[in-house]
Amino acid sequence: MSPRSASVNEELRRRSRERLLQAALELVRERGYEATTLGAIADRAGSARGLVSYYFPGKRQLVQSAVHRLMHRTLEEALEREPRTDDGRERMARAIDAILGLARDEPVLMRQHMASLLQAEGFVQCPEQQRLAELLRSVVAGYGSPDIERDYPMMRSVLMGAVYAMVLPNVPMSITAMRAELFGRYGLARGAGNPPDAEAPGGGCEQDLSRFFATGARPEGQSK
C-alpha cells in the first residue's frame, strides 16, 4: 500500500479534530462539564486518548472551542437561510435571534461557556473563535457601522450579557424580553429575523449537533 498523500493526512486530522469537538459538546450536554473527562470525549469520538492533547491543551480549551464552533455554525446557518439577503438590518436581526436561540435551547452548554470565559485565561484564541469573530464583524459591517473596531466589541459584549442573563440559574431572563431589548437597541422591526415561536421552558429544544461538524466517513484504510 502506497503512503497516504499530505492532503489525505490533513483531511484525516481535520475529521479527527471535528469528532472530538462534537463529542465534547454531546457529553457536556448529557453529563455536565465536571463529569465529562477527556478520556470519555476520546472514547465517544472513537479516537486514541493521547490524540486529544495533540489538538487541545486541556478540557477547558476543547470545550470552549467546541462551543465557539457551535455558535459559529448556528450563526452561519441563520445568516444563509432562505431567502438569502444582503440587507444589513435583517442580518443583524438573524444574528441576534441565532445567539439568543442557542441560550434558550442549549442552556447547559452556554452556561458552561460563560463560566469558562470568566476565568483568567478568557477567550481561547482558536480557529473556531476566530471564524465566529469574523462572521460577527461582517454582520456589524453590513449593518452600516461607521467604526467597526468600536462597534464590534460592543455588539459582542451585548450578546454575551444577553446570554448570561438568559442562562442565569433560578432567575433567567426570557428570550422574548431579551429579544425586545436588543431589537430596540438596534432599531430592528419585531418581525425581522427569526422570531421565536415559544419560550421553550427549560431549554427543551434539544437539537442534533452532528450537522455542525464535518466528520464524514473514514477514508478507506483508516483504522479506528
Side-chain angles (χ1 to χ4, degrees):
M1 182 182 294
S2 60
R4 291 194 297 254
S5 67
S7 62
V8 170
N9 284 331
E10 178 61 27
E11 177 64 12
L12 293 175
R13 286 192 291 269
R14 184 187 66 81
R15 292 181 180 179
S16 179
R17 190 175 186 277
E18 294 261 313
R19 286 195 296 272
L20 289 170
L21 291 169
Q22 181 180 341
L25 285 187
E26 291 174 349
L27 288 170
V28 171
R29 173 203 265 174
E30 294 168 12
R31 306 178 184 180
Y33 180 79
E34 295 301 329
T36 296
T37 65
L38 289 176
I41 292 171
D43 290 345
R44 174 68 65 90
S47 300
R49 298 192 179 194
L51 195 60
V52 182
S53 59
Y54 175 79
Y55 293 111
F56 303 98
K59 183 172 72 169
R60 191 185 76 86
Q61 291 85 352
L62 167 54
V63 173
Q64 195 176 125
S65 293
V67 177
H68 276 137
R69 175 56 181 266
L70 176 62
M71 294 174 69
H72 167 251
R73 292 302 302 276
T74 299
L75 179 58
E76 183 178 61
E77 188 177 82
L79 294 174
E80 296 302 315
R81 70 175 174 82
E82 297 295 339
R84 297 181 65 179
T85 180
D86 293 325
D87 182 82
R89 301 178 76 81
E90 171 63 19
R91 289 175 66 83
M92 176 66 79
R94 291 185 185 189
I96 291 172
D97 282 340
I99 300 303
L100 296 187
L102 269 181
R104 178 195 62 189
D105 298 341
E106 300 290 352
V108 173
L109 293 175
M110 298 306 288
R111 187 178 299 124
Q112 170 54 43
H113 187 61
M114 297 304 298
S116 178
L117 296 181
L118 290 173
Q119 294 185 20
E121 298 89 343
F123 279 109
V124 170
Q125 297 297 316
C126 58
E128 289 74 25
Q129 187 273 327
Q130 292 166 2
R131 283 192 284 268
L132 173 61
E134 290 170 3
L135 196 53
L136 282 173
R137 287 175 67 90
S138 75
V139 170
V140 173
Y143 179 70
S145 166
D147 187 345
I148 297 174
E149 298 308 315
R150 177 200 65 196
D151 294 336
Y152 161 66
M154 180 59 69
M155 181 193 181
R156 183 184 63 198
S157 298
V158 167
L159 290 174
M160 288 173 61
V163 170
Y164 178 84
M166 288 180 63
V167 301
L168 194 64
N170 302 321
V171 287
M173 181 76 75
S174 74
I175 189 172
T176 302
M178 189 55 67
R179 184 179 193 265
E181 178 67 24
L182 268 60
F183 271 45
R185 178 186 183 93
Y186 287 100
L188 306 173
R190 289 178 58 187
N194 184 31
D197 294 326
E199 288 295 312
C205 300
E206 185 167 304
Q207 61 175 322
D208 178 10
L209 299 174
S210 63
R211 73 183 190 279
F212 294 128
F213 298 89
T215 54
R218 290 185 177 87
E220 185 178 353
Q222 183 191 8
S223 65
K224 293 183 178 182

